[in-house]
Amino acid sequence: MFDSVGPEVLDRLACLELLGSVGLGRIVYTERAMPAIQPVQFTVHEEAVIIRASPGGKLSAAARGAVVAFEAGSFSEDLSSGWSVRVVGQATEIRCPLEVAALNGISLPGWSPAPDDLYLRIPIEVVSGRRIPTSRPT
């Protein structure tokens, strides 16, 4: 489906598939009453975006329990094709030892991982996406 300005509007399934194809995104949260954006490595696990964070870091303190936005995408070098997916949800820290153990077993690197890192979950409650296809219908 194409909207009036051209990019294809993606359904939920397409958005989830595309999110699962990349490992770098951006989380948007509030820091000192101002919008903040931070690039993060992530994975999609059980209908949620999972991010690794340090327990004393700004991201873990600001995002825990807050409604945040998350965006990931991929575009060709000449910007003639690509996609972007946005997620909105309430970020929560994963505290259940069984869930933490399961996440320790999946590939979710951090830029400076530490044994006491925590995991933040952003449930994929609201998701939307758009794609600029490599060949456009005429």
Side-chain angles (χ1 to χ4, degrees):
M1 168 185 200
F2 289 85
D3 69 10
S4 60
V5 286
E8 177 185 4
V9 177
L10 302 172
D11 63 21
R12 182 180 180 83
L13 182 59
C15 288
L16 294 178
E17 287 176 3
L18 289 169
L19 275 178
S21 72
V22 295
L24 180 68
R26 287 150 294 284
I27 185 169
V28 181
Y29 59 99
T30 303
E31 181 181 8
R32 292 188 216 152
M34 299 293 290
I37 301 171
Q38 182 172 324
V40 291
Q41 292 175 313
F42 76 99
T43 192
V44 176
H45 182 72
E46 297 181 356
E47 295 274 325
V49 171
I50 307 295
I51 298 168
R52 192 176 184 149
S54 62
K58 290 181 184 180
L59 174 61
S60 63
R64 199 172 321 149
V67 174
V68 299
F70 179 83
E71 188 273 340
S74 178
F75 291 88
S76 64
E77 192 172 309
D78 67 359
L79 303 177
S80 64
S81 64
W83 59 270
S84 174
V85 171
R86 291 158 307 284
V87 170
V88 176
Q90 183 175 7
T92 56
E93 180 182 347
I94 298 171
R95 294 181 180 209
C96 170
L98 293 175
E99 287 183 87
V100 171
L103 291 171
N104 284 333
I106 65 174
S107 178
L108 182 56
W111 281 301
S112 49
D116 63 343
D117 278 354
L118 56 86
Y119 294 102
L120 294 176
R121 172 190 291 124
I122 305 168
I124 302 174
E125 297 167 356
V126 177
V127 63
S128 62
R130 293 180 181 249
R131 176 173 31 212
I132 303 166
T134 52
S135 60
R136 305 280 303 249
T138 54

